Structure formats: C-alpha cells, structure tokens
Amino acid sequence: MAYLIRLTVLVLGFLSASASLVDANTAQKAQSAAEDALTSGRAQEALALSAAVLAQAPNSHDALFVKALALMELARYADAARAAEKAYDVAQSDAQRLAAARIASSARFQAQQFGRAEWWLRRGANNTSNAGEERAIYEDYQRVRAANPLTANLKFGFAPVGNFNGGSESATILFEGLGEFTLAPEQQALSGTEYTLDLRADYRLSRSEVQQTSVGAYLYGRTYTPSSSAKRKVPGIDGDDYAVGVVEFSLRHRRFIFPNLGPSSATVLAGRLWYGGEAYWNYRRIAVTQDVRLSPSQTLSFSASSESQSGIDGRHADANVHTLGVRWFRTLQNGDGLEMSLRKKIYLTEAFESSYDDINVEASYRFARPFLGVRWNASLGYGVT
C-alpha cells in the first residue's frame, strides 16, 4: 500500500510538472501571437490573446504592455493607462519602465487627463539612460504642458536666517548727546529657520497663434522657528508672530505685437497680505513685460510694474511701489536653464522716513531632469537698500 501511495505521488508530480510546461509553452505562444496581431493592426485579437496570457501570469510585463498598446488602438484610453501603469510596476528594467511610463502618459493625454500625463513623464524621466531618451521625455512633456489649460507650480523651502525679526545687529544704540542705550532683546536680531510655501496656478481661457489669455491664483506663506539662542533672549517667542501670508488673483493677456521681437504681456491683479496672523494691507498692481528673443536658446525680458497698497485698520500706511526689471534666460544643451535678473524697486509712502529704493541681483540654475518626480533649481541673490 505504501508503495502505491509513493507511486501515485510521483505520477501526480510528473503530471503537474508536465502541465506547467504545457501552460508555459502555451502562454509563450499566445504572447507571440498577441505581438504579431498587434503589429498587423488586429488590436482586438491582440487584446484577447494578451488577456489569455494574463489569466495564467497576471504580472507578465510583456502581456500588460501589449494589452496597453491594443487598448490604445481601440481608443480605450483609461483602460490602456491602467494596463501601462501596472506594466511599470512589474517592470524589471529601466528600459521597460520608461516605455511603460510613456504609454501611460500618452493614454492619460488622450483621455484629457493632462496632470496625470505630466506625472507619468516625470516618473519616466527617472528611468532614462542616455541623452536621447531625456530629450524625448522633455519634448513629450512640453507637448503635454502646452495642451494643458491648467498649470500649477508648488515650491517649498527652508533655510537658516540670522535676523527674521528685522532687529538691530547691535545690542546697543547711540544717541548723540544722550549716550548709549541697550536695546530690548526683541529689538535685536534674532536667528532661526525660515520656511516658505509658494503655490501658483493659472488657467488658460483662450489661445490662438498670436495671443493667450489666462486667469491665475497665487498663495504664499512664510514662517519661522526661532533658534535656541533666540528663545533664550526672548522667552516665549513665537515665529508665527512674524509670519507672512499672501493671496492674490490675476488676469493676464499675452500677445505678439512686434513680430521681430518676442511676446508682449500685460497683467492686472489684486491681493491681500497678512502679517503675524492679521490682515495688513490690500494691493492692486498692473505690470507689463516685453520679451526679446536673442537666439533660439536665449531670451531677454524687460518689465515694469506699478502697485498701490492700502492699509487695513491703520496697521500700514498707504504706499505706491514702482518696479523696473530686466531678465536674461538661456536654455543649455542638456535642457537645463541659466537665468540672471536685475530689479530696481522704488517704495513711496506718506511717511517719508519709510520710503526707500532697493536694487536686487539674482542668478539661478534650473535642472531640466526631474529627481524623485520633482524639478529642482538653485539660486543666489544679493540686494542693496
């Protein structure tokens, strides 16, 4: 009896192994047939064959890829995107991930889901292995972004600061004829860490070969965490007491007025600023910009703006701010961007001692290739008041 049991186990094991070989062989043939059907334009047949493969091997990258392409041919874009996204998840190489990401992006683009299309190109950019693939992803991204009526940019930053409260660098102040006096701790410079959040969104209302009109919204926030030395100087100090918040809405029109130059633009906007958690002033601004294309990779921009600020509840004197600026931008061969800017600001208020001029110079470098799905840039600025 024991012999019969062992023999039965061996036979069943042999039959199971043989069935697995047959199943694997059948799946391989079905995969080849699906690829042939797809390249021959028989998308429905390719879809059915890839489904047969996936019934046996749900995580087959090749079958998922063929399924995604077949669904694209059948204009079933949402299903195609899901198949391509799963193919990306089970891919074993960067080449497979890049191909799946581009198909997922194309499917989302066809489904008018532009934000998701951009997201998948950002993911695919992390799987490129040469300059040609990087260029292809960049060009795809530019096409998707141009078609998307909504654009949004989110920035977050943090950095150490030596004087977040605008205090004096010296602990004392000298009054002629009166002598030297010690400043209160909260009037001295306090150090800490600055945190900023910057969100800008624009929605295109109309566009033609010579013009574009859009509306926008802008949110900005800045707050601080006092350092241990600042807390020793001023016990109970709260960085939120020096926090800044801005909300604004805008209307922008961009048009080619001078054919031999670049586009001209005009913007009107209105916003409100908060300081220390309290509304501080409302403002209205009008700005104009003229671009000059120096070469296919270089642009020079001139700008001017005038802003009117109205204090709320007497917390801030009414003021007018006038700004002039020039900006140079160059796209490098690897797609990165180099920018330099110069800005002159004139601040005029009824309180003469509060009026001032300042000049600001800034240089920045923008990396074209995303890292971890995020585009990075580095900047350095210097200002004189």
Side-chain angles (χ1 to χ4, degrees), residues 100-323:
R102 294 188 70 184
I103 294 299
S105 174
S106 180
R108 293 299 181 187
F109 178 83
Q110 293 295 336
Q112 304 291 297
Q113 297 171 342
F114 301 111
R116 293 188 181 186
E118 291 180 12
W119 166 253
W120 277 101
L121 288 174
R122 289 177 183 271
R123 293 195 70 178
N126 295 315
N127 305 119
T128 57
S129 59
N130 56 61
E133 292 176 348
E134 292 175 2
R135 173 59 61 178
I137 285 286
Y138 175 78
E139 292 174 351
D140 286 351
Y141 187 86
Q142 292 301 108
R143 282 192 289 269
V144 174
R145 191 164 190 178
N148 191 355
L150 176 66
T151 59
N153 290 286
L154 175 65
K155 299 178 183 178
F156 173 77
F158 61 93
V161 290
N163 187 2
F164 67 79
N165 63 322
S168 171
E169 297 294 338
S170 174
T172 61
I173 185 171
L174 179 64
F175 289 100
E176 187 175 352
L178 297 176
E180 189 175 52
F181 296 84
T182 300
L183 293 172
E186 61 270 17
Q187 295 176 317
Q188 301 175 28
L190 301 175
S191 61
T193 303
E194 177 186 84
Y195 303 91
T196 58
L197 180 68
D198 188 302
L199 172 62
R200 184 179 299 276
D202 293 281
Y203 188 82
R204 186 173 61 243
L205 298 176
S206 67
R207 182 177 66 178
S208 68
E209 293 182 357
V210 296
Q211 68 83 30
Q212 178 173 300
T213 302
S214 60
V215 293
Y218 176 66
L219 301 175
Y220 175 81
R222 183 179 71 217
T223 190
Y224 304 92
T225 298
S227 64
S228 56
S229 63
K231 292 178 180 178
R232 286 194 298 270
K233 284 184 179 180
V234 186
I237 188 173
D238 189 345
D240 288 343
D241 292 339
Y242 303 91
V244 174
V246 175
V247 175
E248 72 177 36
F249 300 95
S250 62
L251 173 66
R252 184 186 189 199
H253 183 73
R254 187 177 176 92
R255 178 177 292 272
F256 283 91
I257 300 175
F258 310 105
N260 295 328
L261 299 178
S264 308
S265 65
T267 304
V268 293
L269 59 83
R272 171 171 286 191
L273 180 140
W274 286 261
Y275 182 76
E278 296 184 348
Y280 213 56
W281 73 69
N282 296 322
Y283 62 91
R284 297 159 298 281
R285 184 187 310 149
I286 181 170
V288 293
T289 303
Q290 177 62 58
D291 291 347
V292 179
R293 186 170 293 276
L294 303 177
S295 71
S297 62
Q298 296 186 75
T299 302
L300 192 65
S301 296
F302 299 92
S303 62
S305 68
S306 181
E307 177 179 311
S308 173
Q309 299 177 356
S310 302
I312 300 175
D313 295 336
R315 294 191 181 94
H316 176 72
D318 293 352
N320 292 301
V321 184
H322 308 290
T323 305

